[in-house]
Amino acid sequence: MRRRICSRKFLTFYFGILMLMSGYLFYSESKISHDSVKFQGKKNSVNNLTFPVFKHPLAPPYPFPYKFLINQPDKCKNRKPFLVIMVLVQCQDLNSRHIIRDTWGNESLYDIEVVRIFLVGLPQIAPERTKDVLKEENVTFGDIVQQDFLDTYYNLTLKTLMGMEWVIKFCSSASYVMKIDSDMFLNVDYLIHNILYPDLPVRTNYFTGAIYRNTKPKRKKSSKWYVPKEIYPNNTYPPYCAGPGYVFSTDMAKKIYDVAQEIRVIPMEDAFMGICLYKLHIPVSEPPRGKFVSRKVHYNHCRFRKVVTVHHYGGYELRRIWADFWAKRSQKC
């Protein structure tokens, strides 16, 4: 009996170690070599900034000088786009990218210059096949941007910072940037002409969307949004804009990217943006009420004409409502 109890304890310990290792691999980037990882308490330097490195299974391994594997360095060359739309999408989700290109992501639909890019990481499943599909797709459309970290939900922070790095290095001539998820309805015309106003001077220190205040980190390990105190010790997050879709002035890309090199990254991307804004002493900008809808609402053409985003519209459902929305764009409500 004692031997059996010892065996059970050993198995429990063994599987605990396996789960911890699996969690670490799930949240970490995909490089085999982790030469840049230092022990806690030591310092590392990136982009001429020195920061303490923190090792934890739920802490994304950032900052690192991630490498662009697929890039669009000339997309904004000799151009001054008013708006960059950076779409966060899973690398294997070819269908969503096609549908977005045919709906609100179609750059040719708008009377103001718009640039669209899709942000992806490295595939976890069928990596070689996905890699070939992405390369072929990029040759055709020229709108994929990829870096060498795993494409997981908990690396959305890395993916968003990658988009900001791309804007800084390759599209700094843009006026504004829209970060949006792939399961969203986006009314680009309303955003341009009723929120940003291309005839006005470009705002600075501007960051807006559906604002959340006084939200608390999820401390239950079973939660999808679990953040332990070791990662984020405070009881509330600073004000932030809901992750599915927010817009900011291009100057904010560099400010947020730079401050992200100095502070501990958390896997909750939208809350992390709020932390960056707090560190920068820049408040979120109040949007007109009800224009960024962070939940799903029943499609109504007249209502959707007067909003910027609506959550949970992707795939073929997005294609279906977009056909009606665009066909009736000149009708009176």
Side-chain angles (χ1 to χ4, degrees), residues 10 26 29 32 71-72 81 85 97 137 171 176 181 208 211 242 255 260 280 315 321:
F10 174 76
F26 184 70
E29 48 87 27
I32 304 261
N71 196 11
Q72 311 303 324
I85 304 175
R97 292 193 290 274
E137 181 184 359
C171 202
Y176 295 97
D181 291 348
T208 195
I211 300 174
K255 291 173 183 178
L280 291 164
I321 69 163

Side-chain angles (χ1 to χ4, degrees), residues 12 14 17 37-38 40 101 127 130 133 215 239 247 251 267 276 290:
T12 302
Y14 176 74
I17 293 296
V37 176
K38 308 295 182 184
Q40 187 173 352
R101 291 183 185 110
T130 304
V133 170
T215 58
V247 63
D251 66 300
C276 290

Side-chain angles (χ1 to χ4, degrees), residues 109-111 186-194 326 329:
L109 295 178
Y110 309 114
D111 58 353
L186 174 61
N187 188 342
V188 177
D189 267 331
Y190 192 88
L191 172 63
I192 289 174
H193 295 290
N194 297 87
W326 193 252
R329 67 189 182 279

Side-chain angles (χ1 to χ4, degrees), residues 299-313:
Y299 171 71
N300 175 278
H301 171 256
C302 290
R303 181 176 183 180
F304 275 44
R305 279 178 62 177
K306 297 179 180 180
V307 299
V308 177
T309 60
V310 183
H311 200 188
H312 301 300
Y313 276 96

Side-chain angles (χ1 to χ4, degrees), residues 191-231:
L191 172 63
I192 289 174
H193 295 290
N194 297 87
I195 302 294
L196 301 178
Y197 297 105
D199 295 331
L200 296 179
V202 177
R203 281 163 276 194
T204 57
N205 293 343
Y206 182 74
F207 197 107
T208 195
I211 300 174
Y212 286 94
R213 291 184 170 87
N214 299 315
T215 58
K216 298 180 179 180
K218 302 294 183 182
R219 300 303 192 193
K220 288 186 177 181
K221 293 183 179 180
S222 59
S223 173
K224 180 181 181 181
W225 301 283
Y226 169 61
V227 176
K229 285 193 173 184
E230 294 94 328
I231 299 293

Side-chain angles (χ1 to χ4, degrees), residues 118-132:
F118 292 103
L119 306 179
V120 302
L122 288 169
Q124 298 181 88
I125 302 172
E128 290 304 317
R129 185 169 182 270
T130 304
K131 180 181 176 181
D132 292 340

Side-chain angles (χ1 to χ4, degrees), residues 44-51 261-262:
N44 198 0
S45 180
V46 175
N47 296 339
N48 298 319
L49 295 170
T50 302
F51 60 94
Q261 315 299 308
E262 301 177 290

